[in-house]
C-alpha cells in the first residue's frame, strides 16, 4: 500500500495535473509515511449559501472559525457568488477568511446561476463552443442578479471571490452530468486558477481527474447535519468508516451555514414550485420573499444540538490522531503536488 501511494504522489507531482505551485501555499499538516498509508484524511466542509438571512450566516461562519482556531483543525469554506458579495460588506469577516491559518476557501454554484445542475440550462445548451465559453466567462466575472438570474455590471463570480480572498479558490463545483457545459465550465475555472472540482455521489480517489481538473478526493461523505436528536461523534463517524475498507481514505464531513439555525433552504421556495424541487422550475423574475415557504428557523434547543454535535466531532477528530489527519483543500493540493513525500 505504502509504495503504491508514494508512487501515485510522485506521478502527480511529475505530471502536475494542472496543480501549479502558485496555487498551493505552505501545507498546514505534516504528513508522515505512516499517516499516508493508514490515516483517514478528514475534511470539515462548510457550504455557504443562505443569502436570505445574511446576519445569521455571518455569525455562523465566525463561530465556526472560532471553533476551528480553538482546536487548530483545518476547515474548508465554500462561497457562492451571492455570499461572497454579502460578506464583502463585512471587512472583519473577509480578513478572517483571508488570514486565518485554518481556513481554505473554495467556490460553489447555486441557483439562479442558470447552468447550475438541473436549472435553466436551455440557452447554454444551444450555444456553439465559442459562445458557450464567452457566456460562462461573463457569469464567472460578473455578479448574478438573484431576481433575474442574469449577470449585472457588478464584479462577481469566481473571479470576484479570487480577488476578495487573494488566491484562486481551490475547489469548484461543476455543472453536473456529461456534455459541453461541464467541460466548458471546467475550462473557464482552470483558466482562472482553480485546481480541483468535486462530484457528488461517487467515490473519488486522490489523483482522479474530471474535465482537466483534479477531483476532490472522497471515499465517504458524512452529512453530519442530517440526524435528528443527539448522536455522538464516535457513533456517527464509526458507522460511515465501516463503509471504507482501504487506507488511506478521505472522509468529508459536510454542513451548510443554515444547518445551524434553520431547516430547509431558501432557494427551494424561491426557485422551485412548492414540493417540486428538481422538477418544476419557477421562471424569472423570482420572488425572493418566498424563502420563508421553504426555510424555517430552528428553536434554540435545536440550534444547540447542532453546535454541540459540531464541537463533538471537532474534538473527536482532534483527539484521535492515530486514526484521523485533519486537512483542508490546501493540504489536498499539497498532497497532489507531491509535497511532504
Amino acid at each position: 500500500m505504502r509504495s503504491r501511494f508514494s508512487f501515485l504522489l510522485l506521478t502527480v507531482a511529475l505530471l502536475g495535473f494542472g496543480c501549479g505551485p502558485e496555487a498551493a501555499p505552505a501545507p498546514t499538516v505534516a504528513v508522515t509515511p505512516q499517516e499516508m498509508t493508514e490515516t483517514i484524511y478528514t475534511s470539515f466542509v462548510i457550504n455557504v449559501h443562505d443569502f436570505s438571512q445574511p446576519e445569521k450566516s455571518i455569525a455562523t461562519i465566525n463561530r465556526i472559525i472560532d471553533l476551528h482556531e480553538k482546536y487548530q483543525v483545518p476547515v474548508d469554506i465554500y462561497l457562492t457568488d451571492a455570499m461572497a458579495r454579502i460578506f464583502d460588506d463585512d471587512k472583519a469577516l473577509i480578513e478572517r477568511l483571508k488570514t486565518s491559518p485554518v481556513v481554505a476557501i473554495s467556490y460553489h454554484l447555486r441557483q439562479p446561476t442558470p447552468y447550475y445542475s438541473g436549472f435553466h440550462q436551455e440557452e447554454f445548451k444551444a450555444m456553439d463552443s465559442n459562445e458557450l465559453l464567452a457566456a460562462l466567462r461573463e457569469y464567472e466575472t460578473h455578479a448574478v442578479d438573484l431576481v433575474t438570474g442574469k449577470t449585472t455590471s457588478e464584479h462577481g463570480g469566481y473571479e470576484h471571490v479570487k480577488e476578495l480572498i487573494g488566491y484562486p479558490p481551490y475547489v469548484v463545483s461543476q455543472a453536473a452530468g456529461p456534455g459541453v457545459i461541464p467541460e466548458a465550465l471546467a475550462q473557464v475555472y482552470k483558466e482562472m486558477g482553480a485546481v480541483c472540482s468535486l462530484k457528488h455521489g461517487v467515490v473519488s480517489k486522490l489523483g482522479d481527474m474530471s474535465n482537466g481538473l483534479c477531483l476532490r478526493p472522497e471515499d465517504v461523505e458524512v452529512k453530519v447535519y442530517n440526524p435528528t436528536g443527539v448522536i455522538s461523534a464516535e457513533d456517527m463517524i464509526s458507522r460511515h468508516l465501516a463503509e471504507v475498507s482501504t487506507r488511506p481514505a478521505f472522509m468529508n464531513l459536510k454542513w451548510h451555514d443554515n444547518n445551524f439555525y434553520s431547516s430547509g433552504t431558501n432557494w427551494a421556495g424561491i426557485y422551485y414550485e412548492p414540493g417540486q424541487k428538481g422538477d418544476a422550475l419557477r421562471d424569472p423574475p423570482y420572488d425572493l420573499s418566498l424563502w420563508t415557504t421553504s426555510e424555517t428557523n430552528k428553536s434554540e434547543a435545536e440550534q444547540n444540538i447542532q453546535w454541540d454535535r459540531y464541537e463533538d466531532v471537532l474534538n473527536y477528530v482532534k483527539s484521535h490522531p492515530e486514526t484521523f489527519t485533519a486537512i483542508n483543500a490546501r493540504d489536498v493540493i499539497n498532497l497532489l503536488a507531491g509535497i511532504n513525500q
Side-chain angles (χ1 to χ4, degrees):
M1 169 71 77
R2 179 178 301 177
S3 61
R4 184 174 68 85
F5 191 64
S6 298
F7 175 76
L8 172 60
L9 287 179
L10 178 61
T11 302
V12 173
L14 293 174
L15 294 179
F17 282 159
C19 307
E22 70 280 1
T28 57
V29 295
V31 181
T32 69
Q34 177 65 20
E35 288 173 334
M36 288 165 58
T37 59
E38 302 298 333
T39 199
I40 304 295
Y41 287 111
T42 306
S43 299
F44 288 77
V45 178
I46 313 297
N47 292 323
V48 185
H49 59 205
D50 192 13
F51 58 80
S52 298
Q53 301 192 80
E55 298 85 359
K56 286 185 170 66
S57 178
I58 289 170
T60 296
I61 298 307
N62 272 309
R63 186 169 175 181
I64 286 171
I65 297 174
D66 288 342
L67 286 170
H68 280 268
E69 290 180 344
K70 171 184 174 181
Y71 286 91
Q72 286 297 289
V73 171
V75 60
D76 285 310
I77 296 178
Y78 285 69
L79 298 178
T80 64
D81 166 75
M83 296 310 296
R85 287 184 284 118
I86 288 171
F87 286 4
D88 199 12
D89 292 331
D90 189 322
K91 301 306 180 186
L93 176 56
I94 291 299
E95 189 65 18
R96 293 195 78 183
L97 294 174
K98 291 171 63 174
T99 62
S100 174
V102 299
V103 172
I105 299 297
S106 290
Y107 178 81
H108 73 125
L109 294 175
R110 281 286 187 242
Q111 305 86 337
T113 302
Y115 43 88
Y116 178 83
S117 178
F119 206 55
H120 290 292
Q121 298 183 341
E122 297 82 6
E123 178 182 356
F124 292 83
K125 291 179 179 179
M127 295 177 179
D128 65 32
S129 58
N130 290 330
E131 291 172 333
L132 178 58
L133 285 170
L136 294 174
R137 291 187 184 110
E138 174 75 12
Y139 267 88
E140 293 302 340
T141 55
H142 292 81
V144 177
D145 188 314
L146 295 173
V147 173
T148 67
K150 302 293 186 181
T151 56
T152 70
S153 59
E154 184 181 350
H155 195 44
Y158 181 94
E159 192 70 21
H160 174 62
V161 180
K162 173 182 174 179
E163 293 184 6
L164 194 64
I165 62 173
Y167 59 86
Y170 297 108
V171 185
V172 293
S173 57
Q174 297 184 41
V180 293
I181 295 177
E183 294 172 5
L185 186 58
Q187 178 179 331
V188 169
Y189 286 143
K190 190 173 181 179
E191 290 170 357
M192 292 181 174
V195 177
C196 291
S197 64
L198 60 87
K199 282 188 177 181
H200 292 301
V202 299
V203 172
S204 304
K205 297 298 184 181
L206 186 71
D208 285 355
M209 302 289 292
S210 177
N211 294 323
L213 291 170
C214 307
L215 276 176
R216 182 185 74 182
E218 181 173 278
D219 291 282
V220 60
E221 176 190 59
V222 185
K223 296 180 179 179
V224 191
Y225 56 89
N226 262 351
T228 58
V230 177
I231 180 172
S232 73
E234 182 175 8
D235 286 346
M236 180 184 301
I237 291 175
S238 296
R239 293 177 193 175
H240 287 276
L241 288 185
E243 306 170 19
V244 183
S245 58
T246 60
R247 300 290 186 271
F250 289 80
M251 178 176 67
N252 294 323
L253 304 171
K254 182 178 177 182
W255 284 265
H256 306 85
D257 52 348
N258 62 300
N259 295 145
F260 292 90
Y261 54 83
S262 68
S263 300
T265 63
N266 62 350
W267 42 266
I270 294 170
Y271 300 114
Y272 297 89
E273 297 290 346
Q276 300 296 320
K277 179 183 173 295
D279 296 320
L281 304 178
R282 296 188 190 274
D283 293 319
Y286 303 108
D287 182 353
L288 301 186
S289 71
L290 291 176
W291 73 268
T292 57
T293 66
S294 57
E295 184 177 6
T296 305
N297 285 333
K298 292 176 177 175
S299 67
E300 183 176 354
E302 291 171 326
Q303 293 180 53
N304 288 338
I305 287 173
Q306 284 291 337
W307 283 112
D308 289 346
R309 180 182 299 163
Y310 195 91
E311 189 159 9
D312 186 29
V313 174
L314 264 174
N315 184 56
Y316 184 72
V317 170
K318 179 71 173 182
S319 300
H320 292 80
E322 75 284 356
T323 302
F324 306 103
T325 302
I327 61 173
N328 59 23
R330 183 180 296 119
D331 302 310
V332 169
I333 291 168
N334 287 328
L335 286 173
L336 285 165
I339 295 176
N340 295 320
Q341 291 185 62

